[in-house]
Amino acid sequence: MRRPDQQTTTRPTPDAAPGPTPDTPPAEATRPGPGALPSGPGAQHLADATGPGAQHLPGGTGAARRPDPAGSRADGHRPTGSHPAGARPTGARSAGDLTTEAALAPYLRGQAAEFLRSLRLHHEHSAPADSGGQDAAAATRALRRSARRISGCLHTFRAALDPLWADQLRAELAWLSGILAREHAYADRLTRLVEALHQLSGPALPAARGVRAAGDGATSDAQGRAALGVGAARAGALLERRLTLARTRSHSAALQALGSSRFHAVADAVALLASDVPLAPGPAGRTAEALLEPAEHAEQRLLTAVAALPPADTEPYNEAQDAAWHQTRLLLRLHRYAHEVVLGATDPALTGAGHALDLHRDAVEAAGAAAAAARTPRIAPATAYALGVLHADQRHEVEAARAVFRETWPYTVALSAS
């Protein structure tokens, strides 16, 4: 549990007299001391690794500390209440404004209004006369963005809302967001894999990994490049057939969902949310602690997940470790949304880490698509070889995304050997 004197990054600074005020800490993560793992209710799996220049801490195996930016003390702790960027987030609210009526309800109403606005744009740009598809895709992304934020807040701040209503609407929004995401995910995956095949089959084919005799190197590379060139075109055609079919089916499912009574019920519920937010009965659910405690809980779950991530020297082909990274991505997203509610602004320090986890997810799914295509019965050996090289390339993209996350993660977390 949080100590009474422990300030976390989701807790806004109290109102002060005019003059210099301490920076508001970001809502993303409490800064633990060197070698210490975060603790708190609901703590889950996680581990972080530091980027280049990390210093080993005395005591503890594998513990490391990232050098703090300006404003940190020499003992490795950031002063309580300081922001990683050295400035309070723009638009951050004060502690006196932190109630469900002043913070959570306006946020949910704003996201509901954005959902309805995006839905109107989607209907306008989905007409047959607007066949370009770019505006419709942008409207779909905005629709999913609002749905994710509403659903995330309903999950994090469930105790401050009507729980039955929050659970029902959150489940329906998750269904809608998943339906809308599939079509664009298949399209992006196909583009990613075809571009990777073109790069791998070109003259800059990377040398095979492993130890081999110097005299055999040139011959082996030439043979591998020739085999890949033969199979790359067929592998690309196979991937295009498979992913285009999946995209077409997802598009049909999305159109069917958007015309269903279930979707209209979701739209009606969001329309009601834009004018009335069902808060929990009684005064207990309307205090500042009703928002601070869930936000800090989401923060601690994220920190615990980062601390439990596999170390940097693990095998990139171990796909069993992907789930921990996917869970960290989801927890980071929930924490970002809680940060927006409590502090009234996003935390720019987590932009790079969130982008790295998105790239990790995309690379994992692309590698899975290449592996699934390679299991197609009766394909030519050259095609299977090209898909195997493509799968290996995407798995190394997975490892590269993990390295970027470790370098961009802005908070010091003790490393764990697993």
Side-chain angles (χ1 to χ4, degrees), residues 60 131 133 224 231 297 312 343 356 372 394:
S131 57
H297 178 61
L343 293 184
Q394 293 303 305

Side-chain angles (χ1 to χ4, degrees), residues 232-252:
R234 295 179 179 178
L238 176 60
L239 288 170
E240 186 170 2
R241 286 197 303 271
R242 291 173 60 91
L243 293 177
T244 300
L245 178 59
R247 180 187 180 185
T248 302
R249 290 174 176 173
S250 298
H251 180 72
S252 300

Side-chain angles (χ1 to χ4, degrees), residues 82-357:
S82 67
H83 191 273
R88 178 173 177 165
T90 304
R93 65 178 86 253
S94 63
D97 297 333
L98 192 59
T99 61
T100 52
E101 289 90 346
L104 180 59
Y107 182 86
L108 287 174
R109 286 196 294 267
Q111 294 301 325
E114 182 63 27
F115 180 95
L116 298 175
R117 187 180 305 112
S118 302
L119 180 60
R120 176 178 57 81
L121 292 175
H122 183 273
H123 287 324
E124 291 177 357
H125 296 301
S126 297
D130 222 348
S131 57
Q134 296 297 329
D135 293 333
T140 301
R141 287 193 296 269
L143 189 66
R144 291 174 50 222
R145 188 183 308 116
S146 300
R148 288 196 307 265
R149 279 168 167 77
I150 296 173
S151 179
C153 289
L154 296 182
H155 173 79
T156 301
F157 302 105
R158 180 179 181 273
L161 302 165
D162 181 347
L164 181 60
W165 167 83
D167 292 341
Q168 292 176 346
L169 182 57
R170 179 166 62 90
E172 294 303 290
L173 289 173
W175 162 77
L176 177 62
S177 181
I179 287 289
L180 296 178
R182 290 173 192 157
E183 176 185 357
H184 302 286
Y186 284 124
D188 294 342
R189 197 171 305 153
L190 176 60
T191 301
R192 178 190 184 99
L193 289 172
V194 170
E195 290 178 352
L197 270 177
H198 288 166
Q199 293 176 359
L200 291 171
S201 59
L205 179 66
R209 294 178 175 83
V211 180
R212 63 188 176 193
D216 298 337
T219 303
S220 178
D221 283 346
Q223 292 175 350
R225 191 177 294 110
L228 186 60
V230 171
R234 295 179 179 178
L238 176 60
L239 288 170
E240 186 170 2
R241 286 197 303 271
R242 291 173 60 91
L243 293 177
T244 300
L245 178 59
R247 180 187 180 185
T248 302
R249 290 174 176 173
S250 298
H251 180 72
S252 300
L255 291 179
Q256 184 178 2
L258 291 175
S260 65
S261 59
R262 182 178 182 180
F263 169 75
H264 288 294
V266 175
D268 291 342
V270 175
L272 291 176
L273 177 62
S275 58
D276 180 30
V277 178
L279 300 176
R286 300 171 186 256
T287 62
E289 288 299 316
L291 297 184
L292 291 175
E293 292 292 344
E296 291 168 358
H297 178 61
E299 177 186 62
Q300 291 301 322
R301 291 182 65 196
L302 171 63
L303 286 175
T304 305
V306 171
L309 288 174
D313 56 353
T314 54
E315 171 61 46
Y317 297 101
N318 188 353
E319 299 179 357
Q321 298 175 354
D322 295 341
W325 289 88
H326 294 331
Q327 178 69 7
T328 301
R329 176 178 171 272
L330 295 178
L331 293 175
L332 176 58
R333 177 174 288 176
L334 290 175
H335 179 53
R336 284 173 45 216
Y337 301 158
H339 191 282
E340 294 176 2
V341 172
V342 174
L343 293 184
T346 58
D347 185 2
L350 289 167
T351 301
H355 181 62
L357 291 177

